[in-house]
Amino acid sequence: MAAGEQAFSLVWGFGLIIFGLHLLVLAYVVLKATPIHKVIGYLLLLAGVSYIIIHTLTLLGPDMTALASQLEGFLAVPMALGELSLALWFIFKKVSDLKVQPALNAA
């Protein structure tokens, strides 16, 4: 692997670990919030922990890359569900909150 590719992989891995920490904070907020379903919070918690574990293993060296790949294959669906469920909840919540405004007569 070239030095540029190695640097990119290192920065990318740290970025995804930070993203995992971000998901843990979101999970905490979602679990404490009443109107959001708890399932979304637990999915976010699983996704955050998964990101942190997988990308920490990847950064530990080539010996751990195979294990990280296996875990990622197993946890890809729960990770995607965690992120997408929150996004979809926000979208549908906003759509349901929209109210039709009557047009003003400009006469």
Side-chain angles (χ1 to χ4, degrees):
M1 188 183 299
E5 291 175 17
Q6 207 169 22
F8 175 79
S9 293
L10 184 67
V11 171
W12 185 258
F14 278 121
L16 289 173
I17 291 170
I18 292 170
F19 181 69
L21 293 171
H22 162 76
L23 289 177
L24 290 180
V25 171
L26 278 177
Y28 175 78
V29 171
V30 167
L31 289 171
K32 292 296 178 183
T34 305
I36 301 178
H37 299 286
K38 300 292 183 194
V39 173
I40 296 172
Y42 291 119
L43 284 172
L44 285 170
L45 184 66
L46 177 63
V49 170
S50 299
Y51 269 102
I52 293 169
I53 290 172
I54 289 168
H55 295 288
T56 300
L57 287 173
T58 303
L59 292 176
L60 288 177
D63 295 339
M64 296 296 183
T65 304
L67 176 61
S69 293
Q70 289 175 345
L71 281 175
E72 189 171 21
F74 178 70
L75 296 172
V77 172
M79 290 164 59
L81 281 175
E83 299 168 51
L84 292 174
S85 63
L86 182 65
L88 291 173
W89 184 86
F90 279 131
I91 290 169
F92 289 120
K93 178 70 174 154
K94 184 61 180 172
V95 168
S96 69
D97 287 348
L98 291 177
K99 296 188 180 4
V100 178
Q101 299 283 334
L104 297 175
N105 292 332

